[in-house]
Amino acid sequence: MKALIFDQPNKPVVADIQMPTIGDNEVMVRSRRVGICHSDYELLSGNYIIPISYPVTPGHEWVGEVVEVGRNVKGLRPGDRVVGECVIRTPERIHHFGFSMDGANREFFAARPEWLHKLPDGVDDAKGALIEPFTCGYYAVLRHGRVDASQTVVVSGGGTIGLVSAAAAIGMGAQVIVVDPVPLRRQIAMKLGAVGTVDPAAGNAVEAVTEMTRGGADLVIEAAGHPASLANVFDYARPEGFVSMVGISIGQKIPVELGKIQIKDLTVRGCIGSPGVWPAAIRFLERTGIDLSPIQTHSFALDDAIEAFSLGKDPSKAVKITLEIA
């Protein structure tokens, strides 16, 4: 079977590998669609946030189909469509699927049922491949305690996590404004249902946001991890507002006026991943019918994975690229 392998840093290859087998407590999954994440580029460069050994098969945003179950497995059967969590526990350690252990960018792989969630019929494969990042955006909104139609949310950063955060807040009824310098991302935000966007390169983003929100946002989601975004998030929020920090900026040091937290009486919370929200996020997508398809800008076959990764380096041309495995 075929797989995308990062043989060593900066050396991706599509190769034939041995078909896996499953144990009594495992299931065999056929990969169907796998998204390319910004973290995959960090993995490829050799600079991921946890220690990694090479070679490794990436792929932690995926949807697949169960094709075989071990004799001790309950609750899953061949034909079930499933998605899987990124941070998983094995008897030996906590793993990051697609990083510290091989991921879904291969035709078949073995998994344990406790990592998996069945997809309802109302959530198609395209949306299923976005569930992993969507759970992160959904969790970023929930860190505030949920929003409603009375509230305004500003999302700073219109990459995948910013856009799915916006989609989650829109699905809860909030008015959403997205701040991002890339025209493609701002266009997608409007297709998702944002009420407006701001180009921070065009002038004073804080002034624009303050005017559009009539004094500041109830919730600001920092989803860029970029110094310019991090420097402005406290200014985007209204007095007694909330800030949810989801953009990864580990190792960066930037000047920020922390006194604004006190002056404006802000509640600031960091969040990473999506612990405990997967079943709720899947039900949310099914019941709201939110259309995430504008986020998926390109699709490639597994054979063309290296070309796909090359395209994904240019944020002006692509947002979410998906590999179609089967």
Side-chain angles (χ1 to χ4, degrees), residues 35-42 60-61 99 132 160-161 309 320-321:
I36 296 176
C37 175
H38 176 74
S39 297
D40 293 327
Y41 290 95
E42 296 174 350
H60 62 282
E61 302 177 1
F99 297 96
E132 194 279 336
T160 297
I161 296 300
F309 267 81
K320 177 58 63 181
I321 298 175

Side-chain angles (χ1 to χ4, degrees), residues 56-70:
V56 62
T57 293
H60 62 282
E61 302 177 1
W62 61 271
V63 60
E65 178 185 352
V66 175
V67 295
E68 183 183 353
V69 300

